[in-house]
Amino acid sequence: MYTLLKQFLAKNMAADEAVLDAFCQKFRLKKTKRNEILLSAGDVCPYIYFVNSGCLRIYMMDVNGKESTRFLVTEGRFGTAFPSFTLQEPSLAYIQSIEPTEALYINSHDFRELLDTIPGWERVYRINLERDYIASIKRIESLITMDATQRYKQLMETTPTLIQRLPNKIIADYLGISQETLSRLKSKK
Amino acid sequence: MYTLLKQFLAKNMAADEAVLDAFCQKFRLKKTKRNEILLSAGDVCPYIYFVNSGCLRIYMMDVNGKESTRFLVTEGRFGTAFPSFTLQEPSLAYIQSIEPTEALYINSHDFRELLDTIPGWERVYRINLERDYIASIKRIESLITMDATQRYKQLMETTPTLIQRLPNKIIADYLGISQETLSRLKSKK
DNA sequence: GTAATTTATTGACATTTGTCAAATTTCAGC
DNA sequence: GCTGAAATTTGACAAATGTCAATAAATTAC
């Protein structure tokens, strides 16, 4: 249950088993079916999740019901409605499990406590933040510099697994294009 | 010279004057003219900057010479070619002062040392990262959910100062649209 | 202050992408 | 394995935005 999480910690932090256990005990396990909603827009996001298996999708919905995927979170990664969880304010985004998913979760209060009490954890979390931030910078770059075809090609090169694994329309709104456009550029080349 | 930087620290960290001074002494001051290049694409970004006055622009250039602004950094904020500085790998972006600018700078090695040695600084930096990451998430959202008009309107509401202060074409490529399109939506309404 | 350069605006047109609708295919759930 | 729902593809058309070119306005550098 905690294997992946411990691996995540061990990568950037030297800690003995007892500390790792103390850390992990703050997390609970949640198993979801496909397409379960874990958070609705308007609510304050209480939890940050660490995905053991499956996939979480952070997405928004506009007034016409059109959805846009902000992030996709797969095995071995932390994910949450980040602005809401971090600032404890109402979320603009929904969280949904688009596959049957097993995830660990911890509430905001306990999470902050870990940052205060587990030596080295603030560093690990900071490095994880840097990584996520870099990924989001690259995403911004692709959105302002590339057209739909280039963005799709890039996604195929960097994370082909995602494309195989997820339905077309999720990929499309992750790329910021319509389902039909994606379908057309797939058939072209 | 260090006033703004000390304010930045003091916001999230209790430290006596001696510690603040030790911290600040690692930074050097750079004054630039308008349109000076501080980093070219291809180089590893050695510094992170803290802007005292003026404005730095982090931007990319494609093979046709078309520019896209990744970030704009104004007074009281840290800025750098983040992926390059953090991972110490060649930068895809340029850094330019689009106004006469006064900025403090520190190299990667010293910066890491501060994270190790100044109590509380890793926390302050982590919180700053969260803030920047949240800003980038909101930018991604606006890019995947809004059209040009909506994005411009949002920018007018959130940072009208930027629009007044910077040339049109910088605003346009920050928004990911052409200069002409921006000019047209300004005249419309 | 003036010339030279850069920046902004405008028009005409091309291209990309979106929208709506219908037909087809795939797949989840029993 | 069936069956119904969901996802995908395709066509026709509309809307948004980009590109190129010319002109006008603003600003910098001297």
Side-chain angles (χ1 to χ4, degrees):
Chain A
M1 168 176 171
Y2 294 128
T3 319
L4 260 182
L5 182 55
K6 285 185 181 174
Q7 277 176 29
F8 184 93
L9 287 172
K11 249 185 300 180
N12 290 297
M13 167 178 156
D16 55 36
E17 197 61 27
V19 173
L20 292 182
D21 283 335
F23 182 93
C24 288
Q25 267 166 28
K26 292 286 183 177
F27 288 80
R28 295 272 163 276
L29 183 68
K30 178 163 184 96
K31 298 184 185 197
T32 75
K33 296 184 212 154
R34 192 171 160 273
N35 290 337
E36 241 177 82
I37 299 290
L38 306 185
L39 174 79
S40 290
D43 295 348
V44 173
C45 182
Y47 305 124
I48 187 167
Y49 296 90
F50 180 83
V51 176
N52 275 335
S53 68
C55 181
L56 297 182
R57 172 186 177 230
I58 324 296
Y59 70 98
M60 290 156 304
M61 197 186 295
D62 71 12
V63 285
N64 306 315
K66 218 189 80 177
E67 297 180 358
S68 308
T69 295
R70 187 199 274 173
F71 289 115
L72 296 166
V73 186
T74 50
E75 296 86 0
R77 304 286 304 151
F78 277 96
T80 182
F82 192 81
S84 174
F85 177 76
T86 302
L87 305 174
Q88 287 293 292
E89 62 180 32
S91 176
L92 299 174
Y94 297 75
I95 303 180
Q96 173 198 38
S97 59
I98 46 182
E99 298 177 346
T101 296
E102 239 189 78
L104 300 168
Y105 65 97
I106 181 173
N107 69 40
S108 164
H109 174 267
D110 288 351
F111 193 72
R112 282 167 206 251
E113 204 168 87
L114 290 180
L115 286 170
D116 289 335
T117 56
I118 304 285
W121 165 239
E122 177 140 40
R123 163 133 329 173
V124 174
Y125 183 59
R126 191 255 299 164
I127 290 171
N128 183 58
L129 269 181
E130 288 178 345
R131 178 181 153 164
D132 285 348
Y133 182 37
I134 288 173
S136 84
I137 290 173
K138 294 196 185 293
R139 184 129 172 252
I140 289 172
E141 288 179 357
S142 75
L143 288 167
I144 56 181
T145 64
M146 297 178 181
D147 64 19
T149 313
Q150 291 173 309
R151 270 179 270 155
Y152 177 66
K153 256 177 117 172
Q154 178 186 265
L155 190 65
M156 276 208 310
E157 281 159 16
T158 56
T159 39
T161 7
L162 269 192
I163 297 182
Q164 290 157 16
R165 178 168 163 182
L166 300 180
N168 234 328
K169 64 175 193 176
I170 305 267
I171 300 293
D173 70 36
Y174 179 76
L175 290 171
I177 60 181
S178 73
Q179 205 178 148
E180 292 93 333
T181 298
L182 176 58
S183 172
R184 286 186 177 106
L185 36 106
K186 278 174 79 167
S187 63
K188 260 188 205 143
K189 201 180 98 89
Chain B
M1 168 176 172
Y2 293 129
T3 319
L4 260 181
L5 182 55
K6 285 187 182 174
Q7 276 177 28
F8 183 94
L9 287 172
K11 249 186 298 180
N12 289 297
M13 167 179 155
D16 55 37
E17 196 61 27
V19 173
L20 292 182
D21 283 335
F23 182 92
C24 288
Q25 266 165 29
K26 291 287 182 175
F27 289 79
R28 296 272 162 277
L29 183 68
K30 180 165 183 94
K31 298 185 187 196
T32 75
K33 295 184 214 155
R34 193 170 160 273
N35 289 336
E36 242 177 80
I37 299 291
L38 305 185
L39 174 79
S40 290
D43 295 349
V44 173
C45 182
Y47 305 124
I48 188 167
Y49 296 90
F50 180 82
V51 177
N52 275 335
S53 67
C55 181
L56 297 182
R57 173 186 175 229
I58 324 295
Y59 70 99
M60 289 157 303
M61 197 187 293
D62 71 11
V63 284
N64 306 314
K66 218 189 80 177
E67 297 180 357
S68 309
T69 295
R70 189 199 274 171
F71 289 116
L72 295 167
V73 186
T74 50
E75 297 85 0
R77 302 289 302 153
F78 277 95
T80 182
F82 191 81
S84 174
F85 177 76
T86 302
L87 305 174
Q88 287 292 292
E89 62 181 31
S91 176
L92 299 175
Y94 296 75
I95 303 181
Q96 174 199 37
S97 59
I98 45 182
E99 297 177 346
T101 296
E102 241 189 76
L104 300 168
Y105 65 97
I106 181 173
N107 70 40
S108 163
H109 174 269
D110 288 352
F111 193 73
R112 282 168 207 252
E113 206 168 87
L114 290 180
L115 287 169
D116 289 334
T117 56
I118 305 285
W121 165 239
E122 177 141 42
R123 164 134 327 175
V124 175
Y125 183 59
R126 191 256 300 164
I127 290 171
N128 183 59
L129 269 180
E130 288 177 346
R131 178 181 153 162
D132 285 348
Y133 182 38
I134 287 172
S136 84
I137 290 173
K138 295 198 183 294
R139 184 127 172 252
I140 289 172
E141 288 178 358
S142 75
L143 288 167
I144 57 181
T145 63
M146 296 179 181
D147 64 19
T149 312
Q150 293 172 308
R151 270 179 271 154
Y152 177 66
K153 255 176 117 171
Q154 178 185 265
L155 190 65
M156 278 207 311
E157 280 159 17
T158 57
T159 40
T161 7
L162 268 193
I163 295 182
Q164 288 156 16
R165 178 169 163 181
L166 300 179
N168 233 328
K169 65 175 194 175
I170 305 268
I171 300 293
D173 71 36
Y174 179 76
L175 291 171
I177 61 180
S178 73
Q179 206 181 145
E180 293 93 333
T181 298
L182 176 57
S183 172
R184 286 187 178 107
L185 37 106
K186 278 174 79 170
S187 64
K188 259 187 208 146
K189 200 182 101 84

